[in-house]
Amino acid sequence: MTVVVQVSKVHPEPGVIVRAAAIIRRGGLVAFPTETVYGLGANALDPDAVESIFTAKERPSYDPLIVHLQDATQMELVAADIPDLTWKLAAEFWPGPLTLVLPRQPRVPSAVTAGGDTVAVRVPSHPVAHALIVAAGVPIAAPSANRFGRVSPTRAEHVWTDLAGRIDIILDAGPTSVGVESTVLSLVEATPRILRPGGVSREALARLLESVEVEHHTIVEGGTAVSPGTTPQHYAPEASLTLFQGPRAQVLPAMRRAALGYIEAGERVGLLLVEEDLSVFADLPVIREALGSVDSLSQIAQRLYSALRALDEAGVEVILARDVGTTGLGLAIRDRLTRAAAGGVVVMSDGSAADSPDSAPSGPLTPLAS
Ligand code: AMP
Ligand code: MG
């Protein structure tokens, strides 16, 4: 049976924390809020407890977990040969949404690292996450607390929907603040490499690092859509999502045409929009989810997963979303939407729309994949 316990996100009640920490110590599973998304935690040094995370989530064993620490000094429990740069990054970004990939200590169960010789570590800033790790007295391995293949949970209700009956307790501290997962930065190669964009921007890392590489697919226009089959469907809603990239003046008419096409075909359409675009679609029989102002990427990130889940719950078959660029948190938002885009990525460019998009309503879109 799974219990849900409310907990203050500012001053977590000690009684709640002690109870949850005891569950961690006896090998149980605790869903808890972090500043990014809700995590599903177990004692990172207990192989059986770690195994049960994979069972509860139906997560394949090749997908490694992030180890959550109380502070940077705990790194030495799970990582070896820690490069000097690590301490500099830790001092700047921890506690916070940055995960560092380091050589592992042999004591780390291989389930945590998916059998690999590296371990991912992070110090979360959320008071509930921090208090839980301190009270448990052990590092806590935790992936996102969703069933594998589903959108990450940013509210306790999302965790309940996915994992009720499969885990011991859910600590409910309300919606998370960052809303997308941590940035995963590998420090095991010569040049630091962003494996997954997230809550800490590439620009913020670049200010501290001499050079930083980014996994190619996350920055190119169209991105992973070139071979969507090779992308883990890590962040996918149930509806088929199509992501539209390019200048607003081209993208909005293209989205309108696509929406009209689906409506004509009798499909229920959901739109994932910024507030400034809402009025463009006011006359259409569609469900519109506004993420926030185009000027507030942090608000868009915070609401992204809730909006995807809300559209699924509303029963839409198709979701059309507009890209927000690659500046700051935009890179993480694009990465997640691209991974979610089972319906493909449509790239509009200034050139392709030489003929006015409004006067060419039947003009073909440019899907890179479908
Ligand atoms: P989740 O918290 O559900 O997003 O899952 C943790 C993610 O962290 C994995 O899917 C990987 O992307 C990343 N990760 C964890 N450990 C490693 C590692 N040793 N090397 C590279 N990436 C990792
Ligand atoms: Mg996940």
Side-chain angles (χ1 to χ4, degrees), residues 30-90:
V30 176
F32 62 98
T34 78
E35 68 275 27
T36 58
V37 300
Y38 276 74
L40 180 60
N43 179 352
L45 304 178
D46 175 344
D48 292 335
V50 171
E51 280 301 339
S52 66
I53 292 179
F54 287 86
T55 308
K57 286 192 53 142
E58 299 173 34
R59 182 177 176 105
S61 57
Y62 60 75
D63 200 357
L65 309 181
I66 294 170
V67 178
H68 293 71
L69 307 172
Q70 155 181 347
D71 56 41
T73 63
Q74 273 198 334
M75 258 191 302
E76 281 154 333
L77 284 173
V78 293
D81 306 320
I82 299 172
D84 289 342
L85 186 59
T86 313
W87 301 103
K88 205 169 133 187
L89 286 160

Side-chain angles (χ1 to χ4, degrees), residues 298-311:
S298 58
Q299 199 175 51
I300 291 174
Q302 196 198 4
R303 295 186 187 166
L304 180 65
Y305 290 149
S306 263
L308 286 171
R309 282 184 179 252
L311 287 172

Side-chain angles (χ1 to χ4, degrees), residues 57 59 63-66 101 118-120 143-144 184 195-196 234:
K57 286 192 53 142
R59 182 177 176 105
D63 200 357
L65 309 181
I66 294 170
V101 174
T118 60
V119 64
S144 52
V184 178
L195 303 181
R196 172 179 78 181
H234 226 120

